[in-house]
Amino acid sequence: MNARLAKCSISLLRWSVGLVILIESVRFVFSPSAAHFLAKAGLPSWLRPVLGGAEVIAVVLFLVPITALIGGYFLLVILGLAALLHILHGQYDIGGLVVYAAAVLVCLAHSPTGSTELSNERL
């Protein structure tokens, strides 16, 4: 694959996954059904804005090129916690979260500020 196409496709992937997660996070924070679900699951009401807000911050950091590496790792932690929360409450359909995490990992692996470029140069 040519380098220009690879760079463009990784950038497109980063923005696509970032915007999708951002929209889902905002919907989660402001959704009455999410509030009802968390209350029904016995979780405290403060959990929704904390998790959703942290996810929004992580996505914004992920989308800004200078902070993309930090935001990506932060986003992976948030997605892992979300998956764990779903599993602990009997919701085993976490495929979307796994795909988001995989896309974030691909973006991190191809980040120009990441450590993978250094390891590739040694080969």
Side-chain angles (χ1 to χ4, degrees):
M1 179 183 301
N2 80 37
R4 186 172 177 203
L5 180 60
K7 183 178 178 183
C8 183
S9 63
I10 294 299
S11 182
L12 179 63
L13 177 63
R14 183 169 59 94
W15 277 95
S16 297
V17 74
L19 291 176
V20 168
I21 294 174
L22 181 63
I23 291 167
E24 291 296 321
S25 300
V26 170
R27 284 180 52 200
F28 175 72
V29 170
F30 295 109
S31 168
S33 63
H36 178 71
F37 168 76
L38 291 176
K40 187 177 175 185
L43 296 170
S45 60
W46 57 264
L47 189 64
R48 182 172 51 108
V50 168
L51 279 179
E55 207 167 30
V56 167
I57 291 168
V59 168
V60 169
L61 289 172
F62 179 64
L63 290 175
V64 175
I66 292 173
T67 58
L69 202 59
I70 294 167
Y73 287 118
F74 186 30
L75 194 51
L76 287 174
V77 169
I78 297 294
L79 292 171
L81 289 173
L84 180 64
L85 189 65
H86 280 277
I87 290 170
L88 290 175
H89 285 91
Q91 291 186 328
Y92 302 107
D93 185 17
I94 58 166
L97 294 171
V98 171
V99 170
Y100 295 157
V104 170
L105 278 172
V106 168
C107 292
L108 289 175
H110 291 83
S111 170
T113 58
S115 60
T116 54
E117 279 203 16
L118 293 175
S119 62
N120 287 342
E121 287 178 10
R122 291 184 212 150
L123 296 175

